[in-house]
Amino acid sequence: MDVRDAEDYSMGHFKGAVNISTDDLEKNIAQLPSDKPIVFVCNTGARSGEAYYMVQDLRPELKEIYYLEATATYNEDGSYTIEKSE
């Protein structure tokens, strides 16, 4: 799940990623699936971490949630680069 805003998402994202910005996540949190893992991504790990902790607080029954803590660059063709955070 890509938690960047729609403009950033439109410029490139992981193939198959669903876009719900961190600003919209709380009002859509009930729609998150409980039957499969969820991985939150953004460009730096900041917004994805925020989304991860929000879900832990508001939907504690979801056990398979993760976030990418790295610097990620997405391209329009679906390619990407990731630099691990230190």
Side-chain angles (χ1 to χ4, degrees), residues 52-66:
Y52 170 83
Y53 290 109
M54 181 188 305
V55 172
Q56 281 194 326
D57 289 343
L58 301 176
R59 295 270 318 265
E61 74 278 10
L62 297 179
K63 300 298 181 199
E64 289 192 87
I65 56 170
Y66 310 93

Side-chain angles (χ1 to χ4, degrees), residues 3-6 19-29 54:
V3 294
R4 298 175 298 148
D5 62 42
N19 181 227
I20 298 178
S21 71
T22 50
D23 293 339
D24 294 330
L25 182 59
E26 187 171 353
K27 65 184 171 191
N28 293 296
I29 204 158
M54 181 188 305

Side-chain angles (χ1 to χ4, degrees), residues 5-59:
D5 62 42
E7 183 179 342
D8 288 341
Y9 179 82
S10 70
M11 294 169 56
H13 53 274
F14 286 127
K15 291 183 182 182
V18 174
N19 181 227
I20 298 178
S21 71
T22 50
D23 293 339
D24 294 330
L25 182 59
E26 187 171 353
K27 65 184 171 191
N28 293 296
I29 204 158
Q31 297 175 25
L32 297 179
S34 59
D35 61 338
K36 56 186 168 184
I38 300 170
V39 179
F40 294 107
V41 299
C42 65
N43 289 95
T44 64
R47 289 179 280 186
S48 58
E50 180 183 343
Y52 170 83
Y53 290 109
M54 181 188 305
V55 172
Q56 281 194 326
D57 289 343
L58 301 176
R59 295 270 318 265

Side-chain angles (χ1 to χ4, degrees), residues 13 15 73-81:
H13 53 274
K15 291 183 182 182
T73 304
Y74 308 94
N75 303 306
E76 287 185 37
D77 65 0
S79 63
Y80 57 89
T81 57

